[in-house]
Amino acid sequence: MSVSRTRSGGVGTTLLWVCGLVLLTLSVAFTITIGPAEIAVGNVWAVVGEHLGLGDSGLSLIREGIIWNLRLPRTVLAAVCGAGLGLCGVVMQALLRNPLADPYVLGISSGASTGAVAVVVLGVGSGVATLSLGAFLGSLCSFVLVLMFGHLVGSAPDRMILAGVAAMQLFSALTSFIVMSAADAEQTRSVLFWLLGSLGGTGWEEVWPCLVVLLVVLAVCLLKAPALDAFTFGHDAAAALGVSVTRTRTSLLIATALLTATLVSAAGAIGFVGLVLPHAARMLVGPGHRRLLPTTVLVGAIFLVWIDTVARTMLDPQEIPVGVMTSLIGVPAFAVVLYRSRKTRRS
Amino acid sequence: MGLRAERVSWRVGGELIVDGVSLEPAQGETVGLLGPNGSGKSTLLRLLSGVRPASSGVVSLDDVPIQRVGRRNVARRIGVVEQQADTEVDMTVHEVVGLGRVPHRRPWAGETAEDERAVRSALESTGLADKEGRCWHTLSGGERQRVQIARALAQQPRELLLDEPTNHLDIRHQLELLGLVVRLPVTSVLALHDLNLAAMFCDRLLVLRQGRAVVAGTPGEVLTPELVAEVYGVRAEVTADGPEGRPSVRFLPGEPVEQGTASRG
């Protein structure tokens, strides 16, 4: 009984969010100070303050540049990616009724990579907008493919994952093929970026679109939080609870595809964040989406900020792509979730 | 007034699954739908809940066609309990019953005191008040069905539709569950397999075969050896020694004999 009590305590959840926001802000400020150039937390505040019009930071232009143009956008993008991938994971897990659903595992991220790479290599237009559009089309293709394939082989969680694996392989191969066929050494090296995910070399122009899309999709999902709850016992049950199933499902899946695409065009395909973090958040606040969505977003943001810090400093000066780190952590967690879902189905 | 189906049909791929069935349960009544597998009981319930639109005919709520009432309004009015509900999500009983408040919740808003009252009253009338913190996956089949009924009650419906709610339950839980449904102050329509349970608990019965209504009436009027032979192709004896003089059906081995000669009740 105590379980449901602590879970539904409204004050407890608000407190958790405030703590989460504070922790996120502190994490961003602190991780920025980690790295080859000596920077103190105070310097970070000063530079942010200066850009908010609160007076001069008193730092040299170089140091200010390192903080404002290199480390801050990268860290903020890490937070946005963690938040966004976690959000995609929660929504997909609810709508597909699959605890293993995640934009990476289902091949949506790979589809987005292929779309973005096609735009870059084939030189169709230029700029962040076309890149994102290409990624969006790629992710939609992949989503439709996986849903159709999943429909054919039966929608049991593990079957759906098989469809995702196939899509991931297909789109990864396509991405490599497009990049290799372009036969440009510079671009060939970038195949790693698209397939593994990396936050290196990020500027503000990559951060803003991601942040805007994240906030819009989060708002839409929060609006639809009761409908997401209604899917717990299946589509017919959701319909009987007053949800327009097809409309809700289509609009929210397109929203997650759009968010995935925007994140992938900025940071490549970072794996497993969307799979693991919703489960962690569920342990904190329970399955109700009104609490689960913001909690996952916060947990995801904090998680990826720290993971990226480890990824860029562990083998200093060599940098590990952040996607490698998330996969190293994500795969064992994937195994645990798979094991637990098998157990619940047997009982 | 209330929920009414007028000559509703539902067809898929040219095949009529439900064929011109009419039904108008009186306020507070318990109506049993009988019929062999594939006779259209589940589909009829889906038409009644508005989840499937009828191919022809009209389902109406207080004389308004259900497709025009709006899904959310329907869900505030009609509770549905499916044959077997399951989820992979770790949820407590309280949280599952709380799903019944989805049609009442406003976007952005959290649970209100009214929501909590409805959940509490649903838990109490299904005898689950002491189990509200239990996890869904640790519940027995009977408990799960009761939780689903509590969830439907949290919707504060005036009509309750149940699709073979006693499937997979042992005898005691079957009796308990149907006793609960009958006591609830709502109009219930339930699909059932067991003729004796239907006779014992329902006020009226509607028998379907191949999507068509064969006969409707009180259990005493409907349940005869002729009907059992005609609809199920089974030989049976029917006596009036059930509770309150309701019919009691005893199945017999062998093919049913020509109509009119197998009967003594």
Side-chain angles (χ1 to χ4, degrees):
Chain A
M1 204 182 256
S2 61
V3 179
S4 81
R5 285 278 178 252
T6 49
R7 272 182 178 183
S8 50
V11 181
T13 314
T14 318
L15 191 69
L16 196 72
W17 293 346
V18 172
C19 290
L21 271 176
V22 171
L23 201 61
L24 175 61
T25 317
L26 291 179
S27 298
V28 170
F30 182 69
T31 52
I32 285 176
T33 64
I34 302 173
E38 285 289 317
I39 287 163
V41 175
N43 299 148
V44 179
W45 297 133
V47 169
V48 172
E50 184 183 319
H51 282 268
L52 293 174
L54 298 176
D56 193 63
S57 66
L59 291 174
S60 71
L61 273 180
I62 293 180
R63 299 200 124 201
E64 206 190 302
I66 290 177
I67 295 176
W68 186 256
N69 294 324
L70 291 179
R71 294 212 188 147
L72 196 56
R74 178 183 184 142
T75 314
V76 173
L77 186 64
V80 171
C81 283
L85 292 171
L87 179 61
C88 289
V90 177
V91 174
M92 287 167 70
Q93 286 170 17
L95 292 177
L96 304 175
R97 302 189 66 215
N98 189 335
L100 298 168
D102 156 89
Y104 184 78
V105 174
L106 289 186
I108 317 304
S109 302
S110 309
S113 290
T114 306
V117 164
V119 167
V120 171
V121 171
L122 305 177
V124 199
S126 61
V128 178
T130 35
L131 195 67
S132 300
L133 185 67
F136 180 52
L137 292 179
S139 66
L140 274 188
C141 283
S142 161
F143 225 137
V144 170
L145 196 72
V146 169
L147 290 180
M148 270 170 34
F149 192 40
H151 188 74
L152 283 180
V153 297
S155 57
D158 20 19
R159 288 304 180 93
M160 187 67 114
I161 300 307
L162 286 182
V165 169
M168 201 197 309
Q169 292 303 326
L170 171 67
F171 284 102
S172 298
L174 280 175
T175 302
S176 306
F177 182 79
I178 296 174
V179 173
M180 298 299 179
S181 66
D184 167 337
E186 184 59 29
Q187 284 178 334
T188 306
R189 232 175 297 132
S190 77
V191 72
L192 277 182
F193 168 84
W194 293 110
L195 295 183
L196 296 174
S198 165
L199 293 159
T202 310
W204 286 110
E205 68 278 8
E206 273 127 5
V207 174
W208 294 124
C210 292
L211 187 60
V212 170
V213 174
L214 169 69
L215 291 178
V216 171
V217 172
L218 178 62
V220 170
C221 292
L222 278 175
L223 194 70
K224 291 280 183 187
L228 286 171
D229 289 343
F231 278 92
T232 311
F233 284 93
H235 295 165
D236 279 353
L241 286 172
V243 175
S244 334
V245 171
T246 314
R247 212 175 59 201
T248 307
R249 205 163 173 253
T250 313
S251 59
L252 287 183
L253 286 181
I254 289 177
T256 56
L258 176 65
L259 180 53
T260 306
T262 318
L263 299 176
V264 167
S265 35
I270 300 172
F272 296 98
V273 177
L275 172 78
V276 179
L277 293 174
H279 292 282
R282 245 177 240 120
M283 283 177 202
L284 288 173
V285 293
H289 285 86
R290 205 177 65 86
R291 299 195 179 87
L292 183 60
L293 292 166
T295 306
T296 309
V297 163
L298 282 171
V299 172
I302 296 170
F303 174 81
L304 208 60
V305 163
W306 282 103
I307 293 299
D308 182 50
T309 307
V310 174
R312 73 182 164 84
T313 53
M314 199 164 81
L315 297 182
D316 192 47
Q318 184 91 18
E319 196 173 283
I320 309 169
V322 69
V324 172
M325 292 301 294
T326 57
S327 294
L328 285 177
I329 299 170
V331 171
F334 177 86
V336 171
V337 175
L338 190 63
Y339 176 72
R340 282 190 35 183
S341 90
R342 198 189 59 147
K343 236 175 42 179
T344 41
R345 238 172 307 144
R346 248 192 335 213
S347 68
Chain B
M1 292 301 273
L3 178 64
R4 185 170 62 193
E6 275 169 285
R7 308 187 51 77
V8 290
S9 301
W10 196 71
R11 98 180 42 238
V12 62
E15 201 186 339
L16 270 171
I17 307 297
V18 172
D19 184 1
V21 177
S22 298
L23 178 68
E24 189 177 0
Q27 213 43 246
E29 207 176 34
T30 303
V31 178
L33 300 180
L34 295 177
N37 288 335
S39 58
K41 303 188 294 290
S42 301
T43 308
L44 179 58
L45 286 174
R46 290 203 168 118
L47 295 178
L48 287 173
S49 67
V51 170
R52 299 254 189 295
S55 311
S56 67
V58 182
V59 174
S60 58
L61 260 183
D62 296 341
D63 296 324
V64 181
I66 201 163
Q67 302 299 331
R68 270 202 254 140
V69 177
R71 284 242 48 86
R72 241 163 81 91
N73 291 331
V74 172
R76 292 176 181 186
R77 176 64 195 270
I78 301 179
V80 179
V81 177
E82 288 177 84
Q83 224 176 93
Q84 215 181 356
D86 205 358
T87 180
E88 299 238 358
V89 183
D90 266 324
M91 285 184 110
T92 64
V93 168
H94 190 280
E95 284 160 349
V96 175
V97 177
L99 290 179
R101 300 307 294 170
V102 166
H104 296 270
R105 267 163 68 188
R106 293 166 175 283
W108 307 103
E111 291 100 61
T112 61
E114 170 64 22
D115 290 335
E116 183 54 33
R117 254 198 309 280
V119 169
R120 182 110 344 250
S121 126
L123 285 168
E124 267 153 25
S125 54
T126 47
L128 289 164
D130 56 330
K131 293 195 174 74
E132 63 165 326
R134 287 268 303 276
C135 177
W136 168 264
H137 297 290
T138 67
L139 301 177
S140 70
E143 287 169 329
R144 287 182 184 196
Q145 277 301 18
R146 260 199 295 161
V147 172
Q148 288 298 335
I149 291 176
R151 187 267 306 149
L153 288 179
Q155 291 171 244
Q156 299 178 309
R158 276 196 272 160
E159 280 88 11
L160 201 56
L161 307 176
L162 304 99
D163 192 0
E164 297 181 22
T166 52
N167 256 10
H168 313 290
L169 301 190
D170 60 34
I171 303 285
R172 200 187 114 190
H173 286 109
Q174 292 186 12
L175 292 171
E176 270 180 17
L177 191 109
L178 292 176
L180 167 70
V181 170
V182 171
R183 279 197 312 276
L184 294 171
V186 292
T187 309
S188 311
V189 180
L190 59 163
L192 282 173
H193 261 310
D194 191 309
L195 303 186
N196 283 309
L197 290 177
M200 217 184 298
F201 289 102
C202 296
D203 302 312
R204 282 202 301 142
L205 298 176
L206 172 67
V207 184
L208 298 176
R209 188 183 53 177
Q210 290 168 355
R212 284 200 201 93
V214 179
V215 59
T218 63
E221 292 162 0
V222 169
L223 291 175
T224 59
E226 292 82 8
L227 177 104
V228 176
E230 186 193 336
V231 173
Y232 292 93
V234 169
R235 204 151 72 90
E237 237 178 28
V238 181
T239 53
D241 50 14
E244 303 163 25
R246 285 166 184 249
S248 161
V249 182
R250 196 151 61 94
F251 299 107
L252 303 168
E255 289 295 306
V257 191
E258 281 300 301
Q259 279 189 20
T261 54
S263 153
R264 66 178 180 86

